[in-house]
Amino acid sequence: PFKTFLHELKKNIYLRISHELYLKRLIIGGFDKVFEIGKNFRNEGIDRTHNPEFTMMECYQAYADYNDMMRLAEELISFVAKKVVGKAKIEYQGRVIDLTPPWKRLTMAQGLKQEGIDVESISDEELKKLLKQQGIEVQPFVRGKAIAELFEKLVQPKLIQPTFVMDYPLQTTP
């Protein structure tokens, strides 16, 4: 394990080696589908929407694309809900959430367009003005980061039902 310091809690913690490479090696070695359910940790901040320690299922499937993986995720979650609570509709924070597939698919650009912002056709200067109007600061200015920040503020709070958000700007992905 790797040792690191979690600033939010002011304590040393230990990280395990990522299982991603080992799972991918199994796919290369001839397994069609592999998965692991395990504890994960990201040394990031903590708030009401982000816990740096979580349990995650990581899975890989040969000859599958992201559409196949979205179908797998929605079918898995719907199946588990039916097994655990007996139905695919659950109540959460006073709202009924319908986990029945298929779920909505939404690109960041589509979501912002629904808010009247066509990020595919506005200039950087217009985007900077929108950021300022919304009280969002992106320093240094990076177009993709600005689009993601606008989406997070204007669109994300309205996404109540299960939704796959797709086509994040390249600059937001390491």
Side-chain angles (χ1 to χ4, degrees):
F2 298 99
K3 182 177 177 184
T4 189
F5 185 77
L6 179 57
H7 296 281
E8 297 287 332
L9 299 179
K10 298 175 180 56
K11 70 178 196 177
N12 288 322
I13 57 170
Y14 300 89
L15 308 176
R16 69 180 214 158
I17 295 171
S18 172
H19 42 264
E20 174 186 3
L21 294 177
Y22 302 104
L23 293 172
K24 288 178 177 177
R25 287 178 185 166
L26 290 170
I27 292 291
I28 300 292
F31 286 87
D32 287 338
K33 297 177 183 180
V34 294
F35 75 96
E36 181 189 34
I37 298 173
K39 285 292 203 182
N40 285 273
F41 181 85
R42 303 287 185 264
N43 197 358
E44 300 168 354
I46 299 172
D47 63 32
R48 67 177 186 80
T49 63
H50 181 81
N51 184 353
E53 185 178 11
F54 53 96
T55 301
M56 177 175 77
M57 181 179 86
E58 187 156 358
C59 61
Y60 297 94
Q61 180 177 338
Y63 315 110
D65 65 10
Y66 76 152
N67 293 300
D68 297 309
M69 299 312 282
M70 286 187 286
R71 274 191 300 279
L72 173 67
E74 65 194 1
E75 289 171 8
L76 174 67
I77 292 169
S78 178
F79 176 83
V80 170
K82 289 174 188 172
K83 288 290 184 185
V84 173
V85 296
K87 56 189 175 183
K89 290 184 180 179
I90 60 170
E91 189 171 324
Y92 179 71
Q93 295 184 345
R95 295 187 174 159
V96 175
I97 307 297
D98 187 356
L99 301 171
T100 306
W103 298 350
K104 183 176 181 179
R105 274 101 166 121
L106 181 74
T107 68
M108 279 197 164
Q110 290 168 336
L112 286 166
K113 200 167 208 170
Q114 291 173 0
E115 297 298 316
I117 302 167
D118 186 355
V119 293
E120 294 174 325
S121 66
I122 64 173
S123 68
D124 284 354
E125 292 309 311
E126 292 170 302
L127 189 53
K128 287 176 186 177
K129 286 179 190 173
L130 282 170
L131 291 173
K132 189 172 185 178
Q133 290 170 356
Q134 294 297 325
I136 299 170
E137 194 171 318
V138 176
Q139 293 297 330
F141 177 81
V142 176
R143 185 176 181 85
K145 178 73 171 154
I147 290 168
E149 292 288 332
L150 272 175
F151 183 91
E152 186 175 314
K153 180 162 187 179
L154 300 175
V155 181
Q156 189 173 312
K158 297 174 183 176
L159 297 178
I160 307 302
Q161 296 302 317
T163 304
F164 288 108
V165 177
M166 307 180 315
D167 300 342
Y168 280 67
L170 182 63
Q171 297 94 347
T172 65
T173 305

